[in-house]
Amino acid sequence: MPRFRAIALAALALVLPATGSRAADQVNVYTYRETKLVQPLFDAFTRETGIAVNVISASSGLEQRIKAEGANSPADVLLTVDIGRIDDAVQAGITQPIKSAVIDEIVPPQYRDPNGHWAGISMRARVIYAAKDRVKQDSISYEELADPKWKGKICIRSGQHIYNNALFAAYLAKYGEQKTEQWLRGLKANLAQKPSGGDRETARDVAAGKCDLGIGNTYYWALMMNADPDKKPWAEATKVLLPTFDGGGTHVNLSGVLLTQHAPNQANAVKLIEWLVGDSAQQIYADSNYEYPIRPGVPLNATIAGYGKLIADPMPIAKIAAQRKAASILVDKVGFDN
């Protein structure tokens, strides 16, 4: 066995329980998702198909790891979040097109790579956590976030974080560089404090009265309300507004799946990818991860449905990905995080 493959498989053996499955009955997944979020999916897949799922979870560096492993990588599937990481994997040259009529039929074109290298399997929206007792309006636009009426009243995490980078890239794709720079300067002028923390801390600061509006992802609010008693008061002090672009819809991002370039269990990998957009997996994504199913017709979690009807902006996610670098440059140009 080549040394690289031996090392990689040894790593799998160290972090994963023994399955007792033949090689033909397994699939190896590298993921940025927390194990507790994705394990119910993999357990259900194994029950339904008999194919064992071996998982390596990490917070960073998986693209580099797969690239370093090269043709000997045991990875079949990369499961990740946000178009930033999805695009990074494609740019690293570690993926191949997913050839699947099932994916082409179920996943809307705007949530698939035009060249087939990735597909969205669930959606999350970038929304507003608004103070219940201080914000009376029940609707807002992304453009309005730069209105001086919100001066000193907005909290947000770093402008260079992948979640905000995608939102800013979407704005750039819609309006071009000049208008986006002007908007970013207006948004920066409205910040109550230097960008910091994460989306949960943004909700905390709104609840504490440091700001009236916070920008965060939909699922964090649901997790705080339903799964974290210590943070539930932050959710209870806020309400979720689904912002829209003028003349458009709410900015959404993806949890996505990619087929690795040298997948040793390619047939099983495609089976897993197709299963992830099936009814049972999509319901798990809705109820366990508090995300919007990519498959039409799958019921939303009640908490997520309580935000109101999501009208997702129709811009293809690939167009947002194409503006990521330019959006990052603009963030630095306006000194957003300073």
Side-chain angles (χ1 to χ4, degrees):
M1 179 182 295
R3 182 173 179 270
F4 232 153
R5 186 170 180 81
I7 293 171
L9 289 176
L12 277 168
L14 285 172
V15 300
L16 302 172
T19 63
S21 300
R22 293 179 293 109
D25 296 327
Q26 68 181 2
V27 60
N28 301 323
V29 176
Y30 284 17
T31 182
Y32 285 120
R33 306 305 307 265
E34 294 181 38
T35 302
K36 65 181 180 181
L37 295 179
V38 293
Q39 197 60 50
L41 289 162
F42 299 147
D43 290 344
F45 174 73
T46 299
R47 286 195 300 270
E48 291 186 25
T49 66
I51 300 171
V53 183
N54 304 317
V55 184
I56 284 182
S57 180
S59 59
S60 63
L62 289 176
E63 298 92 352
Q64 293 82 359
R65 176 172 179 165
I66 294 171
K67 190 175 183 69
E69 291 168 344
N72 296 311
S73 176
D76 297 303
V77 169
L78 178 62
L79 188 65
T80 187
V81 294
D82 194 273
I83 188 56
R85 281 178 167 161
I86 293 169
D87 188 53
D88 284 345
V90 176
Q91 297 305 318
I94 61 170
T95 64
Q96 62 174 299
I98 303 167
K99 297 177 181 178
S100 167
V102 173
I103 293 297
D104 292 346
E105 177 183 355
I106 293 174
V107 181
Q110 66 267 36
Y111 304 133
R112 287 187 269 120
D113 176 34
N115 297 314
H117 284 259
W118 53 263
I121 48 178
S122 64
M123 297 182 293
R124 59 270 299 280
R126 199 81 179 135
V127 297
I128 303 298
Y129 305 156
K132 281 183 179 178
D133 61 347
R134 301 187 301 278
V135 178
K136 303 306 178 185
Q137 64 190 68
D138 292 319
S139 63
I140 195 169
S141 70
Y142 292 109
E143 292 83 355
E144 185 185 331
L145 295 175
D147 190 315
K149 77 176 185 178
W150 297 112
K151 187 174 180 61
K153 295 183 178 181
I154 298 178
C155 289
I156 191 172
R157 73 196 302 167
S158 169
Q160 292 292 10
H161 190 275
I162 55 173
Y163 300 161
N164 288 330
N165 174 259
L167 172 59
F168 298 164
Y171 202 100
L172 183 58
K174 280 184 174 292
Y175 293 115
E177 183 176 341
Q178 184 176 355
K179 287 187 176 180
T180 303
E181 180 180 338
Q182 181 181 6
W183 178 74
L184 283 173
R185 291 188 184 279
L187 175 56
K188 174 180 168 58
N190 288 342
L191 298 183
Q193 58 191 17
K194 181 179 178 179
S196 62
D199 289 0
R200 292 180 179 90
E201 288 73 29
T202 293
R204 175 199 66 195
D205 290 346
V206 174
K210 294 182 179 180
C211 37
D212 290 351
L213 303 178
I215 299 174
N217 280 353
T218 38
Y219 57 89
Y220 282 116
W221 194 94
L223 286 167
M224 289 186 292
M225 179 61 78
N226 297 335
D228 194 337
D230 291 340
K231 297 178 177 61
K232 185 173 183 177
W234 304 347
E236 291 176 329
T238 59
K239 59 183 177 181
V240 173
L241 304 182
L242 297 176
T244 58
F245 289 106
D246 289 344
T250 300
H251 166 69
V252 298
N253 211 313
L254 301 173
S255 295
V257 64
L258 306 98
L259 178 65
T260 63
Q261 184 180 19
H262 302 292
N265 303 291
Q266 184 168 327
N268 287 346
V270 173
K271 287 180 183 178
L272 174 61
I273 290 169
E274 292 177 342
W275 185 86
L276 288 171
V277 299
D279 284 330
S280 57
Q282 289 288 290
Q283 198 63 65
I284 292 172
Y285 267 108
D287 289 331
S288 297
N289 294 356
Y290 298 107
E291 295 186 303
Y292 291 94
I294 207 81
R295 185 185 184 103
V298 175
L300 299 180
N301 175 270
T303 300
I304 299 296
Y307 301 158
K309 181 176 176 58
L310 173 71
I311 301 174
D313 194 73
M315 178 177 292
I317 300 297
K319 287 189 176 182
I320 298 174
Q323 298 295 333
R324 289 176 56 224
K325 183 176 180 180
S328 177
I329 291 171
L330 279 180
V331 165
D332 283 344
K333 182 178 180 180
V334 304
F336 193 85
D337 286 345
N338 296 341

